[in-house]
Amino acid sequence: MPKNVVNPEFLPILEKMPSFDGLSDRSLPEVREIFMTAVRLIEGRPLSDVETQEEYVPGPAGAPDVRVLIYRPRERRPNAPVMVYIHGGGLVSGHPEVDDPKCQVLASKMGFVVVSVDYRLAPEVRYPGAIEDCYAVLKWVHENAQKLGINRDKVVVAGESAGGGLSAALSLMARDRKEYRLAYQLLIYPMLDDRTATKVDPAPDFGEYVWTRSANKFAWEAYLGAAAGGADTPAYAAAARAKDLSGLPPTFIGVGSMDLFLCEDLDYARRLMASGVPTEVFVVPGAYHVFDMFVPDAELSRRFMDAYCAGLKRTLGL
């Protein structure tokens, strides 16, 4: 896809952004470091009205504790909404610090207590390690609601890219296990379907920048421990595999028009609507994957965040 299709606000940073193309077991350590170096380019100053603390919460049975970062307004509010936030990185890279700026803004702007999950990465830990880590954090949030000062009726799951996919899977898991009720799922260009670029090929121009077909295939196979697009991928690994989407919480799905995940995200949104789930969709024109992370001050990035914040406020009555 020619660069003149990219929104002009997103062009300058494109040359500095990492490409995950050719991702492999051999290149993964280097790619993890390159990704973090690129993230440091956009780190902002900590917000003075938000405090951050690190904590370790009990992990799944037989697994290590899960590290979380907790962001909260310094001015405590009783019965605050809480967001379990799940970082991106293709299931094979990243950690909560990637989303420091976004989590601080959500805590400050929305009054959320944000609990960001440092789940275990593939291929060192394959499915279901990451999703069970996320569920363990959801459990801890509910069991410690009084200590956290949060409202159990206003629990949101959110994440971008792989974290959006894990958020969608976590919503399915919470619905099916019937232990905890979610108020909202915020899916930011979520990675939902292991069949993309294997069994299902989007238009050739999608996914040219940042997160590519080859990277997607490697990441899914690293997580699943099997060929991507196989017949037996469980829905808690790839939420698009779920046959029944009824009973899920109100949903926001946002994605760029040039993102590899555009087609799978729009199809998931369509299926949610068909299942009676209140669903809002926001497609950002001329935007590649993780556009808002690297150009957060662009007008379209701000409009994007404003849109999902408005959805959260409307649904949670904030």
Side-chain angles (χ1 to χ4, degrees):
M1 186 176 289
K3 286 189 177 178
N4 62 7
V5 181
V6 179
N7 184 282
E9 290 187 292
F10 302 140
L11 265 176
I13 197 72
L14 194 54
E15 301 298 330
K16 301 177 184 178
M17 290 181 68
S19 172
F20 291 86
D21 209 30
L23 190 57
S24 66
D25 286 319
R26 180 176 294 181
S27 67
L28 182 57
E30 181 184 1
V31 166
R32 284 173 173 169
E33 183 53 40
I34 290 172
F35 180 65
M36 291 314 304
T37 300
V39 166
R40 292 183 196 112
L41 292 174
I42 48 90
E43 283 180 344
R45 290 182 179 179
L47 297 181
S48 60
D49 62 340
V50 174
E51 61 183 29
T52 305
Q53 71 181 84
E54 179 185 65
E55 188 145 351
Y56 286 81
V57 309
D65 289 349
V66 183
R67 175 177 171 263
V68 297
L69 292 183
I70 303 173
Y71 305 81
R72 68 170 86 235
R74 291 189 187 279
E75 187 177 328
R76 301 289 177 93
R77 306 180 192 180
N79 293 313
V82 63
M83 175 180 284
V84 176
Y85 199 91
I86 308 174
H87 71 78
L91 299 164
V92 297
S93 67
H95 52 65
E97 283 78 3
V98 169
D99 296 302
D100 265 337
K102 189 179 293 181
C103 290
Q104 287 184 49
V105 169
L106 288 166
S108 175
K109 183 175 180 177
M110 304 289 290
F112 274 99
V113 175
V114 180
V115 182
S116 190
V117 186
D118 194 2
Y119 55 88
R120 290 169 292 168
L121 300 175
E124 291 87 348
V125 177
R126 303 189 189 277
Y127 171 81
I131 187 61
E132 290 292 355
D133 285 352
C134 295
Y135 193 85
V137 173
L138 180 65
K139 175 183 178 182
W140 178 82
V141 162
H142 278 83
E143 291 179 349
N144 291 272
Q146 187 170 358
K147 182 179 85 170
L148 291 167
I150 59 99
N151 185 339
R152 288 190 184 92
D153 293 328
K154 294 185 178 180
V155 179
V156 173
V157 295
E160 87 282 348
S161 193
L166 286 166
S167 295
L170 186 57
S171 294
L172 290 166
M173 189 175 275
R175 178 198 66 182
D176 296 345
R177 291 184 178 178
K178 296 181 172 59
E179 292 180 305
Y180 312 112
R181 182 178 172 274
L182 299 176
Y184 199 80
Q185 58 174 344
L186 170 56
L187 311 180
I188 302 173
Y189 32 81
M191 180 180 177
L192 298 168
D193 197 339
D194 63 306
R195 294 166 295 192
T196 294
T198 54
K199 301 295 183 184
V200 179
D201 201 20
D205 291 331
F206 294 150
E208 182 176 345
Y209 303 117
V210 189
W211 192 252
T212 63
R213 286 166 169 69
S214 66
N216 201 52
K217 183 175 184 292
F218 168 81
W220 275 115
E221 292 179 354
Y223 185 53
L224 297 172
D232 300 323
T233 301
Y236 298 154
R241 297 302 198 109
K243 292 181 170 56
D244 177 14
L245 300 184
S246 63
L248 290 171
T251 303
F252 181 102
I253 295 181
V255 63
S257 67
M258 302 171 68
D259 198 309
L260 179 66
F261 300 148
L262 176 67
C263 297
E264 66 187 70
D265 291 354
L266 293 180
D267 184 62
Y268 199 70
R270 177 191 61 77
R271 292 179 56 216
L272 284 167
M273 294 177 205
S275 299
V277 177
T279 304
E280 183 176 357
V281 181
F282 193 112
V283 178
V284 182
Y288 43 74
H289 197 57
V290 300
F291 67 94
D292 60 327
M293 180 184 292
F294 286 92
V295 199
D297 293 326
E299 181 193 355
L300 281 175
S301 296
R302 291 197 301 268
R303 283 172 54 192
F304 184 56
M305 178 175 254
D306 287 346
Y308 62 70
C309 286
L312 284 162
K313 287 179 180 178
R314 189 169 55 248
T315 305
L316 300 180
L318 302 179

